[in-house]
Amino acid sequence: MMQYFEWNLPADGTLWTRLKEDAKHLSEIGITAVWIPPATKGQNDQDVGYGVYDVYDLGEFDQKGTVRTKYGTKQQLKEAIDELHKNGIQVYLDVVMNHKAAADYTEKFKAVEVDPQHREKAVSDPYEIEGWTGFNFPGRGDNYSPFKWHWYHFSGVDYNQANKKKAIYMIEGDNKAWSNGVDSENDNYDYLMFADIDFNHPDVIKEMNQWGVWVTKELNLDGMRLDAIKHINNEFIKGFLGEVRAAKGKEPFYAVGEYWKSDIGSLDAYLAEQDYNVDLFDVSLHYNMYQACQDGRAFDMRKFLDDTLLSKHPEVAVTFVDNHDSQHGSSLESQIKDWFKPLGYGIILLNEKGYPCVFFGDYYGMGGKESPHRTIIDILLDVRKKYAYGEQVTYADHPDTVGFVRKGDKDHPGSGLALLASVGTDGYKDMDVGTERKGQVWHEVTGDIKDEVTIGDDGKARFTVRGGKLAVWVQKDADIKS
Ligand code: CA
């Protein structure tokens, strides 16, 4: 999978066109799915997509001062998706359902201010506030849906227009409360930002389920990336995916959730609540990479996979190095240092397990600056296609240097590889690639090591890696068809 955007793309409305023109190339390098940014109308034409104004406006109506979104028009998006499908690439839309932004007008209703660290604790009496909760979509009208949003469709806001005071306001009214089935940080993490959608309200549930089916059909989607799900009632997510999948009929529909927590216990509990019907990004693995790239040699690589989704629930783990939220200057900044990126990508792209996601920023660059990692990612994608097959044997036996062997399989003659990653000094590992490979000459393909090795009669060879580097060894002159 490739995440086809980064936070600081120019807001020039050209991403959908660029994606269309890139479809063939993406297919050639081995990308089989793209995660595209939120295509829904945001607060303005600069909005990255997470400040959602109207989910039914995919760059079609003159609203918030623009027809197109940051990425282009609905027509351009549809053309990009068609082109991706023609090239055998699936499309996953980033779906932002937690909140709505940039309301059309204010409304008056009762609310209490709550303690930001203890959201169940009121720090004021209930009183009338004026919040931005009225959405009537003058540019779209009743097209696709006549639903209009009012204060009672939300559970909280962060601004009182009447006195211009910022706070977290919990809306008061019949059946009003923060949602169940959300992360327990701050006692209840239902509220994240903007006007928080109330997924206990039956009309809201119905409307958003209908929208999910509509957008899936309208864009011919193959899947979704669900934003901020730790802030959304898990029962709603379960029902929503059920409805969308039912509408798809026999066709499979992919879903990965963004549950941004590094502790495996939280991810594990959420997966169980969803009956393992949704994948999750392996945030735990990302933070292990972050720790390793900070600590270097002081990091114990034997523990690299400890408490990760990749080790615990690999069948539902989407592995990644960085994304638009972890990159420099973003809300959850934890960008992986440049020296570690090849190690991170080597481990996720050549692994037997996990569903790896390549970040646009790491491939094409961020903020208009070219990425230094494109070459290594191209090499690794090529190795993935040609050699990364068969059983994996992991050598997590040294604090500096770890490695794994892929044994290759019958369907891919000549396939198989030996990977090493070092966070310390130059290292080596005697690894077993199979006695059937005795006498073969193997070489290192990242270009870091010029030596070759010959596989011994026992199927083993001494594979080397330089300090702080990745090394990937494959059979030289293997007659590989890709
Ligand atoms: Ca929420």
Side-chain angles (χ1 to χ4, degrees):
M1 178 194 322
M2 182 182 274
Q3 175 185 1
Y4 206 83
F5 65 105
E6 56 100 6
W7 194 265
N8 298 313
L9 284 173
D12 56 6
T14 62
L15 189 72
W16 300 148
T17 306
R18 176 176 179 172
L19 177 55
K20 178 185 171 184
E21 289 165 359
D22 203 14
K24 187 162 175 287
H25 161 251
L26 293 175
S27 163
E28 284 164 1
I29 62 172
I31 299 297
T32 53
V34 290
W35 151 24
I36 60 171
T40 44
K41 181 66 55 73
Q43 305 167 87
N44 50 54
D45 67 2
Q46 314 285 307
D47 197 307
V48 175
Y50 298 98
V52 180
Y53 163 67
D54 182 4
V55 290
Y56 282 101
D57 183 355
L58 304 172
E60 182 177 11
F61 302 101
D62 188 1
Q63 301 194 108
K64 297 295 151 190
T66 177
V67 172
R68 71 165 174 87
T69 67
K70 178 177 181 181
Y71 309 110
T73 64
K74 180 180 181 181
Q75 187 54 37
Q76 290 166 334
L77 172 58
K78 289 184 119 174
E79 287 173 18
I81 292 172
D82 282 349
E83 193 63 25
L84 289 163
H85 283 158
K86 272 184 210 155
N87 284 277
I89 297 172
Q90 296 201 321
V91 179
Y92 310 150
L93 177 67
D94 198 322
V95 166
V96 184
M97 297 193 285
N98 178 65
H99 48 260
K100 291 175 81 67
D104 296 303
Y105 58 94
T106 60
E107 295 177 315
K108 288 179 178 169
F109 48 87
K110 275 199 168 162
V112 291
E113 295 174 30
V114 300
D115 179 342
Q117 273 78 52
H118 301 282
R119 306 288 180 81
E120 300 285 7
K121 194 177 147 208
V123 293
S124 77
D125 290 330
Y127 65 101
E128 186 180 85
I129 70 164
E130 183 184 355
W132 288 90
T133 51
F135 292 79
N136 57 3
F137 312 116
R140 172 169 63 83
D142 289 345
N143 278 300
Y144 306 127
S145 166
F147 193 89
K148 312 296 179 218
W149 294 75
H150 297 289
W151 64 269
Y152 44 84
H153 297 126
F154 299 99
S155 53
V157 293
D158 64 356
Y159 188 66
N160 178 6
Q161 184 66 40
N163 61 8
K164 302 194 164 47
K165 184 179 176 183
K166 280 190 172 179
I168 298 179
Y169 299 92
M170 187 172 79
I171 298 173
E172 294 263 298
D174 291 344
N175 303 315
K176 282 287 170 201
W178 297 129
S179 180
N180 294 325
V182 296
D183 182 32
S184 60
E185 196 177 330
N186 304 318
D187 294 348
N188 178 302
Y189 216 166
D190 187 7
Y191 189 84
L192 176 63
M193 56 173 69
F194 300 118
D196 188 75
I197 293 179
D198 180 0
F199 282 105
N200 291 331
H201 195 297
D203 294 348
V204 167
I205 295 170
K206 193 171 160 219
E207 169 68 5
M208 292 307 287
N209 283 342
Q210 282 175 357
W211 172 74
V213 171
W214 174 84
V215 76
T216 298
K217 290 184 171 171
E218 191 77 9
L219 295 179
N220 198 9
L221 299 174
D222 307 286
M224 288 176 175
R225 179 262 186 192
L226 303 165
D227 182 61
I229 52 171
K230 74 177 183 182
H231 308 284
I232 298 175
N233 187 336
N234 59 24
E235 287 297 323
F236 167 74
I237 294 292
K238 198 189 265 187
F240 176 85
L241 285 175
E243 298 257 339
V244 172
R245 284 179 171 142
K248 270 297 226 187
K250 289 202 174 69
E251 270 183 84
F253 190 80
Y254 180 76
V256 56
E258 180 224 12
Y259 200 102
W260 196 267
K261 266 204 137 164
S262 60
D263 81 284
I264 187 72
S266 297
L267 302 181
D268 210 4
Y270 191 81
L271 286 164
E273 284 162 3
Q274 295 294 336
D275 302 325
Y276 299 88
N277 281 323
V278 61
D279 286 6
L280 291 181
F281 289 103
D282 196 344
V283 179
S284 310
L285 180 66
H286 166 76
Y287 277 104
N288 284 1
M289 289 189 199
Y290 188 57
Q291 202 60 51
C293 79
Q294 302 285 333
D295 295 354
R297 196 173 184 185
F299 186 85
D300 186 346
M301 280 300 277
R302 291 173 298 188
K303 296 180 173 167
F304 186 64
L305 295 183
D306 283 5
D307 298 326
T308 62
L309 276 185
L310 185 58
S311 61
K312 198 148 190 223
H313 294 294
E315 68 287 352
V316 290
V318 174
T319 50
F320 68 101
V321 176
D322 267 316
N323 66 25
H324 65 293
D325 276 331
S326 67
Q327 75 182 83
H328 283 317
S330 290
S331 56
L332 307 165
E333 178 170 337
S334 50
Q335 186 167 311
I336 305 305
K337 287 179 187 281
D338 280 339
W339 74 268
F340 195 85
K341 294 246 185 192
L343 284 69
Y345 275 107
I347 290 167
I348 68 167
L349 285 172
L350 304 184
N351 214 290
E352 180 183 17
K353 293 180 174 163
Y355 184 176
C357 181
V358 175
F359 177 41
F360 182 101
D362 288 335
Y363 192 80
Y364 288 116
M366 290 177 254
K369 201 166 156 259
E370 245 176 68
S371 170
H373 307 297
R374 179 168 170 168
T375 306
I376 185 67
I377 293 172
D378 272 330
I379 290 170
L380 293 169
L381 286 169
D382 188 55
V383 172
R384 177 180 170 85
K385 266 199 292 188
K386 291 176 177 166
Y387 299 94
Y389 298 99
E391 184 199 347
Q392 177 167 324
V393 179
T394 300
Y395 293 71
D397 51 4
H398 190 278
D400 285 359
T401 304
V402 292
F404 60 73
V405 164
R406 297 294 303 274
K407 291 288 182 86
D409 67 17
K410 287 198 183 72
D411 294 338
H412 305 88
S415 68
L417 61 89
L419 173 147
L420 295 94
S422 167
V423 297
T425 52
D426 292 359
Y428 69 86
K429 223 170 261 302
D430 295 330
M431 298 201 285
D432 182 354
V433 297
T435 50
E436 73 281 8
R437 313 197 73 146
K438 67 181 176 190
Q440 287 181 358
V441 175
W442 284 40
H443 66 152
E444 201 280 322
V445 290
T446 69
D448 205 44
I449 296 169
K450 302 297 173 210
D451 302 339
E452 297 174 348
V453 294
T454 303
I455 310 299
D457 291 347
D458 57 357
K460 289 183 184 169
R462 178 158 294 187
F463 298 101
T464 55
V465 61
R466 293 205 298 135
K469 299 279 186 177
L470 173 78
V472 179
W473 295 81
V474 300
Q475 184 190 342
K476 196 184 177 190
D477 305 322
D479 184 21
I480 294 284
K481 294 164 195 71
S482 66

